[in-house]
Amino acid sequence: MLRMTEQTHMPKIFVTRKFADSGIKALKAKGYKIEVYAEDKIIPRKTLLEKAKGCDALLPLLTDKIDDGVFDAAGPQLKIVANYAVGFDNVDLAAAKKRGIVVTNTPSDKVNEAVAEHTFALMLALARRIPEADRFAKAKKYAGWSPTLLTGTDLYGKTLGIVGAGRIGSAVAQRAVGGFGMKLIYSDMRQNVDLERKFKAEYMSMEKLLQTADFVSLHVPLLPSTRHLISTAEFSMMKKTAFLVNTARGPVVDEKALLRALRTKRIAGAGIDVFECEPAIDCDMTDTLELKTYDNVILTPHIASATIEAREAMGMVAAENIIAVLEGKEPLNPAK
Ligand code: GLV
Ligand code: GLV
């Protein structure tokens, strides 16, 4: 009798937003009942709670808050939350653990490469003033070659300070040293001997890194210990000629302190892909958007992993984690 029930129960999965096909196909191939939220927008909380009901697996995005409210709405059969993101600060891990719900994320070489490339896109765009130059050329302001027109700075020979030397930080390190001839320094909770051996990276305190780096690039997860990791004191340690790049999580940088640093020219500029009050670009939500007023600030709307290759990989990794857990196996990428 029990066996029959097991055979007839088809696990139910809810996906909070459409994404690249193959992950969904892999889940469908297993015969699971899958529902994907029909609208291409962030799912309203109320709808998420309704849709979660009776699910064995949830596949949410980093824009969905997954907490006790969702777990209660889903019911005790919920086994896994496969977050479609590398970061998982949107999921209450402690609450999931208490209920024995597995939480997974989507790390992948493809994502590491995509984020590392975007980090360099921002660094190069800042150093070589690409958006400004683009606007200049399109405005037909170009009146002939000039020795001083839109001069920027080299990456070559400069020191890159990586804050957080995990998978993505290491992919950035590889490009910095192998591709651009930069010197590498890093700070992290743990020493990364592999990084030191491969890229002659030098391990140092955050303070020393901020004092030394020409480019500071953030690659830490958002945790209570990394919230406002870069604030007034940190900006005051940076070189006036240094650039800050954030492709990690917005709240790792204190936005108010960043604005003060820009106003007072404490730093040379910033490349920002993630924002403290997302989806707002500025916490004040004023029409003025002060960040917009700086030529030495480049903004992108949380797109560091937005390549077809990376998004495809994220979908597959999320699907593989769901399949593993629903088949009673260990998850491939437990979030911890
Ligand atoms: C994107 O920010 C991610 O965490 O995958
Ligand atoms: C620039 O175009 C140069 O020839 O130096």
Side-chain angles (χ1 to χ4, degrees), residues 3-14:
R3 232 179 133 238
M4 249 186 71
T5 337
E6 267 176 14
Q7 279 175 347
T8 48
H9 174 74
M10 258 314 152
K12 199 174 134 190
I13 302 170
F14 181 65

Side-chain angles (χ1 to χ4, degrees), residues 34-222:
I34 300 173
E35 184 181 353
V36 181
Y37 179 50
E39 291 179 62
D40 191 17
K41 64 172 196 189
I42 295 173
I43 190 169
R45 173 84 177 171
K46 192 169 162 281
T47 315
L48 171 61
L49 296 181
E50 283 161 21
K51 297 291 185 184
K53 194 172 178 332
C55 283
D56 299 275
L58 290 177
L59 204 165
L61 312 186
L62 62 92
T63 43
D64 307 318
K65 189 153 183 48
I66 306 296
D67 52 12
D68 273 322
V70 175
F71 300 146
D72 284 339
Q77 76 298 326
L78 181 66
K79 289 173 199 64
I80 172 170
V81 172
N83 205 42
Y84 180 88
V86 174
F88 42 83
D89 45 279
N90 59 306
V91 184
D92 185 341
L93 282 193
K97 197 171 171 197
K98 251 190 228 148
R99 297 172 189 243
I101 299 166
V102 174
V103 178
T104 61
N105 68 337
T106 58
S108 147
D109 290 347
K110 294 263 170 45
V111 176
N112 302 341
E113 304 305 331
V115 176
E117 287 185 4
H118 195 73
T119 302
F120 267 88
L122 288 173
M123 279 169 50
L124 287 165
L126 280 168
R128 301 305 302 268
R129 304 169 60 180
I130 301 294
E132 228 182 311
D134 176 68
R135 285 192 298 273
F136 182 90
K138 286 175 180 168
K140 294 196 176 184
K141 287 186 188 162
Y142 183 47
W145 193 90
S146 141
T148 53
L149 177 64
L150 286 160
T151 45
T153 59
D154 284 339
L155 262 53
Y156 180 80
K158 297 286 161 60
T159 299
L160 171 63
I162 289 184
V163 179
R167 286 175 290 237
I168 294 173
S170 299
V172 172
Q174 190 214 336
R175 284 162 177 76
V177 175
F180 289 91
M182 300 181 86
K183 292 187 207 105
L184 196 68
I185 58 179
Y186 76 102
S187 86
D188 197 302
M189 282 175 354
R190 279 177 295 271
Q191 199 168 346
N192 183 337
V193 180
D194 195 40
L195 194 82
E196 293 176 20
R197 193 174 40 78
K198 278 195 195 141
F199 308 117
K200 294 204 182 100
E202 196 187 331
Y203 185 48
M204 56 182 67
S205 68
M206 184 72 178
E207 186 172 343
K208 179 101 186 290
L209 178 141
L210 292 168
Q211 289 164 352
T212 313
D214 299 302
F215 293 83
V216 175
S217 192
L218 307 177
H219 303 288
V220 291
L222 176 60

Side-chain angles (χ1 to χ4, degrees), residues 62 84-88 106 111 247-249 274 302 305 311 314:
L62 62 92
Y84 180 88
V86 174
F88 42 83
T106 58
V111 176
T247 55
R249 280 291 182 270
V274 286
H302 206 149
S305 73
R311 292 293 157 83
M314 288 163 70

